[in-house]
Amino acid sequence: MSPKSPLTVIPPDIVAVSDYEAYARERLSDMAWAYLQAGAGDEHTVRRNLEAFSEILLKGRVLGSAAGGHTRLSLFGHVYEHPIFLAPVAYQKLFHSDGERATALGAAVTQTLMVLSTLSTVTLEEVAQAETAPPLWFQLYLQADRSVSLDLIHRAQREGYRALVITVDAAMAGVRNREQRAGFRLPPHLSAVNLPSQSPVPTAAPGQSRVFDGLMKTAPGWDDIEWVLSEARLPVILKGIMAPEDADHACRMGVHGLIVSNHGGRVLDTLPAAIEALPTVAAVVAGRVPILLDGGIRRGSDVFKALALGASAVLVGRPYVQALAAAGPLGVAHAIRTLREELEVVMALSGTPTLDRIRAEHLSL
Amino acid sequence: MSPKSPLTVIPPDIVAVSDYEAYARERLSDMAWAYLQAGAGDEHTVRRNLEAFSEILLKGRVLGSAAGGHTRLSLFGHVYEHPIFLAPVAYQKLFHSDGERATALGAAVTQTLMVLSTLSTVTLEEVAQAETAPPLWFQLYLQADRSVSLDLIHRAQREGYRALVITVDAAMAGVRNREQRAGFRLPPHLSAVNLPSQSPVPTAAPGQSRVFDGLMKTAPGWDDIEWVLSEARLPVILKGIMAPEDADHACRMGVHGLIVSNHGGRVLDTLPAAIEALPTVAAVVAGRVPILLDGGIRRGSDVFKALALGASAVLVGRPYVQALAAAGPLGVAHAIRTLREELEVVMALSGTPTLDRIRAEHLSL
Amino acid sequence: MSPKSPLTVIPPDIVAVSDYEAYARERLSDMAWAYLQAGAGDEHTVRRNLEAFSEILLKGRVLGSAAGGHTRLSLFGHVYEHPIFLAPVAYQKLFHSDGERATALGAAVTQTLMVLSTLSTVTLEEVAQAETAPPLWFQLYLQADRSVSLDLIHRAQREGYRALVITVDAAMAGVRNREQRAGFRLPPHLSAVNLPSQSPVPTAAPGQSRVFDGLMKTAPGWDDIEWVLSEARLPVILKGIMAPEDADHACRMGVHGLIVSNHGGRVLDTLPAAIEALPTVAAVVAGRVPILLDGGIRRGSDVFKALALGASAVLVGRPYVQALAAAGPLGVAHAIRTLREELEVVMALSGTPTLDRIRAEHLSL
Amino acid sequence: MSPKSPLTVIPPDIVAVSDYEAYARERLSDMAWAYLQAGAGDEHTVRRNLEAFSEILLKGRVLGSAAGGHTRLSLFGHVYEHPIFLAPVAYQKLFHSDGERATALGAAVTQTLMVLSTLSTVTLEEVAQAETAPPLWFQLYLQADRSVSLDLIHRAQREGYRALVITVDAAMAGVRNREQRAGFRLPPHLSAVNLPSQSPVPTAAPGQSRVFDGLMKTAPGWDDIEWVLSEARLPVILKGIMAPEDADHACRMGVHGLIVSNHGGRVLDTLPAAIEALPTVAAVVAGRVPILLDGGIRRGSDVFKALALGASAVLVGRPYVQALAAAGPLGVAHAIRTLREELEVVMALSGTPTLDRIRAEHLSL
């Protein structure tokens, strides 16, 4: 049975972002679905990212004034309408024929920051130059060849991307068994169009370790971060920080922001939930740089909890991609609006009319 | 398949109030059922309200004397036969053709306090003037126009309602996805007959926030409570307190009682269970005013636990409405009698022949 | 479909006492099954009695000597071959045509102490005078009329019963919903043959409480225990103690032993598991009298854990009744042998060749 | 339906060692399957061995250098390529027609240490003398007759086995109900070919305890360990230690290594998971001897966790036997390679390029 076409109108039974999941399933091939949903190993961390939020309890406040409240925030010198950002997701033409162009349109009409992936299937230029473009950050996978990375940085700067998000937790792809069982391969008509060509994967000699003597040979290190900091004119944000030790090191080195993330549970199984790692990272960062939270956001209340525990904003991934697959730009915009209004409801019912008022005291800890 | 008619006799397999649930389901439309059962979001709090009780353990005492015990209590100058009160539930003609009149009859024959909702489908006068009327409190949703609220207060006072219960945790309706998916709308023949007409919902301008610039514009605040206290001759009880901070504020302001409640999990998902919030509220209130507990009561042992943790009485909602739907006034009366006798059994087997003897020491904490 | 006949040989797939459950189900009427299995309310405590054992972890010891070990114990001046006793269970002709006579035979051939219920369907004399009789204790439900109780005590003493077990946790029968839904009634051909006739249940006047003004009027109190202590020549053991306060009171009053029990979860739901209450009771008793544990034993390791936490012996109920229903005396004997050998295996593998060596240090706490 | 033949090629949906389970099931008789999978009692410990690992959380480190890392370790004077050893498993011709010969071949081509069982179905000489033999240790069940044990020790020494692993936690076989229900018996064509003949099981006289007066009469004791230490030229490792008391005793006596193990949950049910016992054992051993961990390893991350909590290496049992049943030597080799590469990925993503760098600080405790 071939996948259905995207919806052109949001049906009345989609009332929460998780409702997009079933609609997306019907509109994606088994391979694309496996690629989107899969996590590393037994997917404990994938599930934990979600479940951890439901175990954090709100407190609720009554009779407070929230009239005139708003969800605006300022980050690295720019104002954003709300703190729900689109996480970098690779190869979006797997999910919708317009790929990242469609996502960007949905983001633009909802004034939503989009983080474009290095591995996008639409060039970073095309996304930035669209008539209706959202605020943009560029996610950078550091390349084995620094000149390739530098070229990406320069292009992103030229096109008005406002920050560089360097993914640091994916030195290798992770053992994604679900993807392997589905025999996932990128379809031949898709490629990472920002890159000169698919960079060759480093290989190990016979008898050597594919991991230690292959993949890790070209994995980025802290020295590469220093190099980016010295070369880039944009704020540099590290994505994939879970250990307080790494957060502290990054702050000392001068990075401008951190994204607490376990890569959606896709790289290393049995990591803690991102939201579980956030408080320990926030404690060691102690306000030196802004922290964002990525992983497991499915409700406005999840956004609220992340902010209460120290995040300035959050990134969502699978939910908007499911909405993209189900209903294109319309779906992306609807999913974001849904999350944002849920967030506003929680803010109003917690006595916190602005984001900076959201603190741990608004949770039942 | 159209809903069945109400039962005219209680079948032998209804031995606990939860047994009414299946009978009610068969006698309600999908929409009415969704309205009754739905909670906010993923309904974590709906479930938690129930599960939290089963995790609180009784202790059991043996060989104590309980002969001549009773369940009477005195509250705001009135004596009540037992501490199981009927929570305010809106639009009861959704559940039974006689609506609140049927509920009141079931309450009257069991000497049960009924809290009538502002949004009743029978006027507060008709309920109070019935030949067989129960003790009554009036639940007040503060209206955007104070003169409308004042009129309700005066009418309730005139009709002998004994207290005002102001619901403070529902500045907006909550994101009730189950209700939305069922496409719930009030049937055209039903309306909130106590109110002059459906008050217009405040709307936000295009581009504004429906929450912050719409709903919250007319949401009640603490100043409205002060105003009610200055205007009303009746005890004023706030319903929907979960945060100790709010409980303390209310006590300082001079309210006469508090109802710990998360609105049956209908407004904000991932709040703690009401019974979980009770001890922290009771600690800060420290006896200044009586506290009632609303949410999750399905057993006499639940009533006992609430009293042991600081409540003077409890409110039940869905259970009596399910009984109403299943068997009208007969069902309501039977449900209350069942809960009351279960409570008496727990009291007898815990060595507590009167309510004031029930303390935390009777639980296994 | 009418129930099957009892087995005359133990089939090879009965290798643990819980394997009798399915065989018993096929050999009992719905009513008898409901009576046997039912607990109070939602049966949380029934389940908790079982689950609590699986959460207590053994430690395991290696290379210790256990040759020549044994399971003998001495209690109230008598030696018993093993610490697995048969709990009093009423109306055993519900489960096997020979009722308590069959149980007694199975107990006798395995040298197992049997506690005969006041509500037996075979007279206490007939059980005691059987050619092959086990060691016997008599369980006493104190009767509203002390002369009836005294007659029972005298008969038990005359027939060589070695102790009186007074059930103190069943002032009323408990709200056993499963039994009610099954419409359980004692079949007309069965009765409590030890009693002069079914004593009238105390009734409440119309408008009075069935509990406080009815049942509790004749419920036994501490003064009745004092009276038994003054009248009986046998050791007096209280069954149904869960609260340390009651355990202490009983010790001060001079009772000779305690049985920690929640009546198999049949009287008050959401009590702790019996094994959970044991350590707190044992701590307050502090060796003044022997303690037995009743409730949830399904494995030899459960017996071991109870002894490690302060019990001198345990009582099993439903498991032997299921074995009785499935295979008569043969089943009872096989069930006991199975439990006993499981206990011996745990003792051998824990380095505890005798019961008195079993301590909390043999658990992983 | 008769069992299928072993696979001759690894199908693409086997991507984790647990994927072998379903393939093995189709290739084994019910009896062999029951023998392989069964645990003691209700198999709580079997499950706990697995679940405990998923509750231990990694931490994840980023941007560390792991190029040139490796998994080598040195133990008792020998270097091993990786720390994933094959646990002793009896009667392997139950699982594959070539039995231990096939396992040894799979081990050899992956440079994997194999621990051969006393109860092998291929002689210890034949395994050692194969053209392609892996590094070998010999597992010794101490025999009732010391001369039989001594002969085994001498043969193992003569054939180049590098250590003796004495199983100390199986004084008796454990109450393996699943095995009993399947009616497991060793097929007549299989036997323990290393032993002179099946040694007679000690029997108890009628009325005696099969456990205390039978099996335990010939169970090994600490004196037997002392005797082995005095007789053997090889390092002596005790397998089956769970209690810190026993670990300490063994160290004081001079044993050379310990294997923390609950025998795969096959001997005593409701023991803790092996990985739960490891930290307490490691604390008391305090580096005096190397510790290995056996039980529940299904992922490279499990290996990493065991090493972080104090183990020098791990043993896997059921996973490689399932692979053996599914695909013979090819399966064994593939299973080991899969685990090893998973381990390497975790090491690389945890910033630990060598085994000695793996510490508790790399977990989220």
Side-chain angles (χ1 to χ4, degrees):
Chain A
M1 198 169 58
S2 70
K4 298 186 182 175
S5 303
L7 300 164
T8 55
V9 61
I10 306 301
D13 63 347
I14 296 186
V15 295
V17 297
S18 59
D19 294 329
Y20 278 105
E21 190 166 330
Y23 284 93
R25 181 67 193 90
E26 297 177 329
R27 284 160 182 79
L28 292 177
S29 68
D30 291 352
M31 268 198 205
W33 183 249
Y35 178 74
L36 178 58
Q37 299 293 113
D42 300 307
E43 305 189 352
H44 288 288
T45 297
V46 173
R47 291 187 294 276
R48 194 171 185 107
N49 270 354
L50 300 175
E51 292 164 0
F53 276 110
S54 68
E55 287 158 22
I56 300 170
L57 300 177
L58 298 172
K59 191 192 258 180
R61 296 299 301 271
V62 300
L63 297 168
S65 170
H70 65 82
T71 59
R72 278 192 296 283
L73 72 157
S74 175
L75 212 51
F76 306 121
H78 292 272
V79 171
Y80 297 93
E81 281 302 305
H82 63 87
I84 303 160
F85 298 171
L86 302 193
V89 173
Y91 304 123
Q92 298 192 10
K93 285 192 180 170
L94 280 171
F95 309 114
H96 187 275
S97 56
D98 289 342
E100 291 79 3
R101 212 159 37 214
T103 298
L105 181 55
V109 299
T110 52
Q111 298 174 282
T112 301
L113 174 73
M114 173 179 180
V115 186
L116 186 79
S117 171
T118 289
L119 302 177
S120 62
T121 47
V122 175
T123 64
L124 68 90
E125 286 82 4
E126 185 178 344
V127 171
Q129 294 166 8
E131 202 175 341
T132 312
L136 290 164
W137 290 358
F138 184 69
Q139 179 269 344
L140 178 64
Y141 277 119
L142 285 166
Q143 304 295 306
D145 180 343
R146 279 190 177 176
S147 71
V148 177
S149 298
L150 194 58
D151 184 54
L152 287 166
I153 294 169
H154 288 159
R155 288 165 61 198
Q157 290 178 163
R158 192 162 53 229
E159 297 296 333
Y161 287 76
R162 297 174 176 179
L164 293 175
V165 172
I166 307 183
T167 298
V168 294
D169 64 356
M172 61 197 68
V175 179
R176 293 211 281 271
N177 289 155
R178 197 201 304 201
E179 230 181 84
Q180 295 170 328
R181 289 187 192 110
F184 176 76
R185 271 165 222 279
L186 203 59
H189 67 286
L190 294 187
S191 66
V193 295
N194 289 318
L195 297 175
S197 71
Q198 285 300 84
S199 1
V201 174
T203 51
Q208 284 193 318
S209 157
R210 196 177 70 92
V211 172
F212 293 122
D213 304 313
L215 299 169
M216 290 307 291
K217 267 199 305 201
T218 59
W222 287 106
D223 56 328
D224 295 298
I225 305 303
E226 279 201 303
W227 170 78
V228 173
L229 284 168
S230 71
E231 293 285 346
R233 286 184 289 105
L234 294 175
V236 172
I237 303 164
L238 302 193
K239 174 169 179 286
I241 299 294
M242 291 291 285
E245 297 91 330
D246 288 331
D248 185 57
H249 192 71
C251 287
R252 291 175 188 274
M253 184 173 278
V255 304
H256 306 93
L258 299 176
I259 301 178
V260 171
S261 169
N262 52 35
H263 215 112
R266 295 167 78 82
V267 174
L268 197 52
D269 200 19
T270 70
L271 281 175
I275 191 69
E276 291 177 294
L278 176 60
T280 57
V281 168
V284 75
V285 167
R288 285 179 283 176
V289 301
I291 302 171
L292 285 77
L293 185 285
D294 166 77
I297 299 283
R298 293 296 179 275
R299 287 284 183 184
S301 54
D302 300 338
V303 183
F304 184 92
K305 291 168 186 177
L307 270 55
L309 293 172
S312 296
V314 304
L315 287 81
V316 298
R318 290 184 184 95
Y320 86 80
V321 181
Q322 292 167 355
L324 172 69
L330 179 65
V332 173
H334 178 260
I336 296 165
R337 280 205 186 98
T338 300
L339 281 175
R340 179 179 170 173
E341 187 162 312
E342 285 179 356
L343 169 62
E344 291 182 3
V345 169
V346 180
M347 289 172 69
L349 296 173
S350 297
T352 53
T354 54
L355 299 183
D356 60 298
R357 299 272 296 273
I358 303 172
R359 305 250 169 68
E361 73 188 58
H362 296 100
L363 305 179
S364 291
L365 295 177
Chain B
M1 200 169 58
S2 69
K4 297 186 183 176
S5 303
L7 300 164
T8 55
V9 60
I10 306 301
D13 63 347
I14 296 186
V15 296
V17 298
S18 59
D19 294 329
Y20 278 105
E21 190 165 331
Y23 283 93
R25 181 67 193 89
E26 297 177 329
R27 284 160 182 80
L28 292 177
S29 68
D30 290 353
M31 268 198 203
W33 183 248
Y35 177 74
L36 177 58
Q37 298 293 112
D42 299 307
E43 304 189 353
H44 288 288
T45 297
V46 173
R47 291 187 294 275
R48 194 171 186 108
N49 270 355
L50 300 174
E51 292 165 0
F53 275 111
S54 68
E55 286 158 22
I56 300 171
L57 299 176
L58 299 172
K59 191 192 258 179
R61 295 299 301 270
V62 299
L63 297 169
S65 169
H70 64 82
T71 58
R72 279 192 296 283
L73 72 157
S74 174
L75 213 50
F76 307 120
H78 292 273
V79 170
Y80 297 93
E81 280 303 303
H82 63 87
I84 304 160
F85 298 171
L86 301 193
V89 174
Y91 305 123
Q92 298 193 10
K93 285 192 179 169
L94 280 171
F95 309 114
H96 188 273
S97 57
D98 289 343
E100 292 78 4
R101 212 161 34 216
T103 299
L105 181 55
V109 300
T110 52
Q111 299 174 281
T112 301
L113 174 73
M114 173 179 179
V115 186
L116 187 78
S117 171
T118 290
L119 302 177
S120 61
T121 47
V122 177
T123 64
L124 68 90
E125 287 80 5
E126 184 177 345
V127 171
Q129 294 166 9
E131 201 175 341
T132 312
L136 289 163
W137 292 357
F138 184 70
Q139 179 270 344
L140 179 64
Y141 276 119
L142 285 166
Q143 304 295 307
D145 181 343
R146 278 191 177 176
S147 70
V148 178
S149 297
L150 194 57
D151 184 53
L152 286 166
I153 294 169
H154 288 160
R155 287 165 62 197
Q157 289 178 163
R158 191 161 53 230
E159 297 296 333
Y161 287 76
R162 298 174 176 179
L164 294 174
V165 172
I166 308 183
T167 298
V168 294
D169 64 354
M172 60 198 68
V175 180
R176 293 211 279 271
N177 290 156
R178 199 202 304 200
E179 230 181 85
Q180 296 169 330
R181 289 188 192 111
F184 176 76
R185 270 164 221 280
L186 203 59
H189 67 285
L190 295 188
S191 66
V193 294
N194 289 318
L195 296 176
S197 71
Q198 284 300 84
S199 3
V201 174
T203 51
Q208 284 193 317
S209 157
R210 197 178 68 92
V211 172
F212 292 123
D213 304 313
L215 299 169
M216 290 307 291
K217 266 199 307 202
T218 59
W222 285 106
D223 56 327
D224 295 297
I225 304 303
E226 280 201 303
W227 170 79
V228 173
L229 284 167
S230 71
E231 293 286 346
R233 287 185 289 105
L234 293 175
V236 172
I237 303 163
L238 302 192
K239 175 169 178 286
I241 299 294
M242 290 292 284
E245 297 90 330
D246 288 330
D248 185 57
H249 192 70
C251 288
R252 290 175 189 274
M253 184 174 278
V255 305
H256 306 94
L258 299 176
I259 301 178
V260 172
S261 170
N262 53 34
H263 215 112
R266 295 167 77 81
V267 174
L268 197 52
D269 199 20
T270 71
L271 281 175
I275 191 69
E276 290 176 295
L278 177 59
T280 57
V281 169
V284 75
V285 168
R288 285 179 283 177
V289 301
I291 303 171
L292 285 76
L293 186 284
D294 166 79
I297 299 284
R298 293 296 180 274
R299 287 285 183 185
S301 54
D302 299 338
V303 183
F304 185 92
K305 290 168 187 178
L307 270 54
L309 292 172
S312 296
V314 303
L315 287 81
V316 298
R318 291 185 184 93
Y320 87 80
V321 181
Q322 292 167 354
L324 172 69
L330 179 64
V332 172
H334 177 259
I336 297 166
R337 281 206 184 97
T338 300
L339 281 175
R340 179 179 171 173
E341 186 161 311
E342 285 179 356
L343 169 62
E344 291 183 2
V345 169
V346 180
M347 290 172 69
L349 295 173
S350 297
T352 54
T354 54
L355 300 183
D356 60 298
R357 300 272 294 273
I358 302 172
R359 305 252 170 67
E361 72 189 58
H362 297 99
L363 304 179
S364 290
L365 295 176
Chain C
M1 199 171 57
S2 71
K4 297 186 183 176
S5 303
L7 300 164
T8 55
V9 59
I10 306 301
D13 63 346
I14 296 186
V15 296
V17 297
S18 59
D19 294 329
Y20 277 105
E21 190 165 330
Y23 283 94
R25 182 65 193 89
E26 298 177 329
R27 284 160 181 81
L28 292 177
S29 68
D30 290 352
M31 268 198 203
W33 183 248
Y35 178 74
L36 176 59
Q37 300 292 113
D42 299 307
E43 305 189 352
H44 288 288
T45 297
V46 173
R47 290 187 295 276
R48 194 170 185 108
N49 270 355
L50 300 175
E51 292 164 0
F53 275 111
S54 68
E55 286 159 22
I56 300 171
L57 299 177
L58 298 172
K59 192 192 257 180
R61 295 299 301 270
V62 300
L63 298 169
S65 170
H70 64 82
T71 59
R72 278 191 297 282
L73 73 157
S74 175
L75 213 51
F76 307 120
H78 291 273
V79 171
Y80 297 92
E81 280 303 304
H82 64 87
I84 304 160
F85 298 171
L86 302 193
V89 173
Y91 304 123
Q92 297 194 11
K93 284 192 181 171
L94 279 171
F95 310 113
H96 188 274
S97 56
D98 289 342
E100 291 79 3
R101 212 160 35 214
T103 298
L105 181 55
V109 299
T110 52
Q111 297 174 283
T112 300
L113 174 74
M114 173 179 178
V115 186
L116 187 78
S117 171
T118 290
L119 301 177
S120 62
T121 46
V122 177
T123 64
L124 68 90
E125 287 81 4
E126 186 177 345
V127 171
Q129 293 166 9
E131 201 174 343
T132 312
L136 289 164
W137 292 357
F138 183 68
Q139 179 270 345
L140 179 64
Y141 276 119
L142 285 165
Q143 304 296 306
D145 181 345
R146 278 191 179 177
S147 71
V148 178
S149 298
L150 193 58
D151 184 53
L152 287 167
I153 294 170
H154 288 159
R155 287 163 62 197
Q157 290 178 163
R158 191 161 52 229
E159 297 297 333
Y161 287 77
R162 297 175 176 178
L164 293 174
V165 172
I166 308 183
T167 298
V168 293
D169 64 355
M172 62 198 68
V175 179
R176 291 209 282 270
N177 290 155
R178 198 202 304 200
E179 231 182 82
Q180 296 170 329
R181 290 188 192 110
F184 176 76
R185 272 164 221 279
L186 202 59
H189 67 284
L190 294 188
S191 66
V193 294
N194 288 318
L195 296 175
S197 70
Q198 286 298 85
S199 4
V201 174
T203 50
Q208 283 193 317
S209 157
R210 196 178 70 91
V211 172
F212 292 122
D213 304 313
L215 299 168
M216 290 308 292
K217 267 199 305 202
T218 59
W222 286 106
D223 56 329
D224 295 297
I225 304 303
E226 279 201 305
W227 170 79
V228 173
L229 283 168
S230 71
E231 293 286 346
R233 287 184 288 105
L234 294 175
V236 172
I237 303 164
L238 302 192
K239 175 168 179 287
I241 298 296
M242 290 292 283
E245 298 90 330
D246 288 330
D248 185 57
H249 192 71
C251 288
R252 290 175 188 274
M253 184 174 279
V255 304
H256 306 94
L258 299 175
I259 301 178
V260 172
S261 169
N262 52 35
H263 215 110
R266 294 167 77 82
V267 174
L268 198 52
D269 199 20
T270 70
L271 282 175
I275 191 69
E276 290 177 296
L278 176 60
T280 58
V281 168
V284 76
V285 168
R288 284 180 283 176
V289 301
I291 302 171
L292 285 76
L293 186 284
D294 166 78
I297 299 284
R298 293 295 179 276
R299 287 285 183 184
S301 53
D302 299 338
V303 183
F304 185 93
K305 291 168 186 177
L307 269 56
L309 292 172
S312 296
V314 303
L315 287 80
V316 298
R318 291 185 184 92
Y320 86 80
V321 180
Q322 292 168 354
L324 172 70
L330 178 64
V332 173
H334 178 258
I336 297 166
R337 281 204 186 99
T338 300
L339 281 175
R340 179 180 170 173
E341 186 162 312
E342 285 179 356
L343 169 62
E344 292 182 1
V345 169
V346 180
M347 291 171 69
L349 296 173
S350 297
T352 53
T354 54
L355 300 183
D356 59 299
R357 300 273 294 273
I358 303 172
R359 305 249 169 69
E361 72 188 59
H362 296 100
L363 305 179
S364 291
L365 295 176
Chain D
M1 198 169 60
S2 71
K4 297 187 183 174
S5 303
L7 301 163
T8 55
V9 60
I10 306 301
D13 63 347
I14 296 186
V15 296
V17 297
S18 59
D19 294 329
Y20 278 104
E21 190 165 329
Y23 283 93
R25 181 65 194 90
E26 297 177 329
R27 284 161 180 80
L28 292 177
S29 67
D30 291 352
M31 269 197 203
W33 184 249
Y35 177 74
L36 176 59
Q37 299 294 113
D42 300 307
E43 305 190 352
H44 288 289
T45 297
V46 173
R47 289 187 295 276
R48 194 171 185 106
N49 270 355
L50 299 175
E51 292 165 0
F53 275 111
S54 68
E55 286 158 23
I56 300 171
L57 300 177
L58 298 172
K59 192 192 260 181
R61 295 299 301 270
V62 300
L63 297 170
S65 171
H70 64 82
T71 59
R72 278 192 296 282
L73 73 156
S74 175
L75 213 51
F76 307 120
H78 291 273
V79 171
Y80 298 92
E81 280 302 304
H82 64 86
I84 304 159
F85 298 171
L86 301 193
V89 173
Y91 304 122
Q92 298 193 9
K93 283 191 180 170
L94 279 171
F95 310 113
H96 187 274
S97 56
D98 289 342
E100 290 79 3
R101 213 160 35 214
T103 299
L105 181 55
V109 300
T110 53
Q111 298 174 282
T112 301
L113 175 73
M114 173 179 180
V115 186
L116 187 78
S117 171
T118 290
L119 302 176
S120 62
T121 47
V122 176
T123 64
L124 68 90
E125 286 81 5
E126 185 178 344
V127 170
Q129 294 166 9
E131 203 175 343
T132 311
L136 290 164
W137 291 358
F138 183 69
Q139 179 270 343
L140 179 64
Y141 276 118
L142 285 166
Q143 304 295 307
D145 180 344
R146 280 190 178 178
S147 71
V148 178
S149 298
L150 194 57
D151 184 54
L152 287 167
I153 295 169
H154 288 159
R155 288 164 61 197
Q157 291 178 162
R158 192 160 53 230
E159 297 296 334
Y161 287 76
R162 297 174 177 179
L164 294 174
V165 172
I166 307 183
T167 298
V168 294
D169 64 355
M172 62 197 67
V175 180
R176 292 210 281 271
N177 290 155
R178 198 202 305 200
E179 232 183 81
Q180 295 170 330
R181 290 188 191 110
F184 175 76
R185 272 163 221 280
L186 202 60
H189 67 286
L190 295 187
S191 66
V193 295
N194 288 317
L195 296 175
S197 70
Q198 284 300 84
S199 1
V201 174
T203 52
Q208 284 193 317
S209 157
R210 196 178 70 91
V211 172
F212 293 123
D213 305 312
L215 299 169
M216 290 307 292
K217 268 200 305 202
T218 59
W222 286 106
D223 57 327
D224 296 297
I225 305 303
E226 280 201 303
W227 171 79
V228 173
L229 283 168
S230 72
E231 293 285 346
R233 287 183 288 105
L234 293 174
V236 172
I237 302 163
L238 301 193
K239 174 169 178 287
I241 299 294
M242 289 293 284
E245 298 91 330
D246 287 330
D248 185 58
H249 192 71
C251 289
R252 290 176 189 273
M253 184 174 278
V255 304
H256 306 94
L258 298 175
I259 301 177
V260 172
S261 169
N262 53 35
H263 215 111
R266 295 167 77 83
V267 175
L268 197 53
D269 200 19
T270 69
L271 282 176
I275 190 70
E276 291 177 295
L278 176 60
T280 57
V281 168
V284 75
V285 167
R288 284 179 284 177
V289 301
I291 303 171
L292 284 77
L293 185 284
D294 166 79
I297 299 283
R298 293 296 179 275
R299 287 285 183 185
S301 54
D302 299 338
V303 183
F304 184 92
K305 291 168 186 177
L307 270 56
L309 293 172
S312 297
V314 304
L315 287 79
V316 299
R318 290 184 185 95
Y320 86 79
V321 180
Q322 292 167 355
L324 172 70
L330 178 66
V332 172
H334 178 259
I336 296 166
R337 281 204 185 98
T338 299
L339 281 175
R340 179 179 170 174
E341 186 162 312
E342 286 179 356
L343 169 62
E344 291 182 2
V345 169
V346 181
M347 290 171 69
L349 296 173
S350 297
T352 53
T354 53
L355 299 184
D356 60 297
R357 299 272 296 273
I358 302 172
R359 304 250 169 68
E361 73 188 59
H362 296 100
L363 304 179
S364 290
L365 295 176

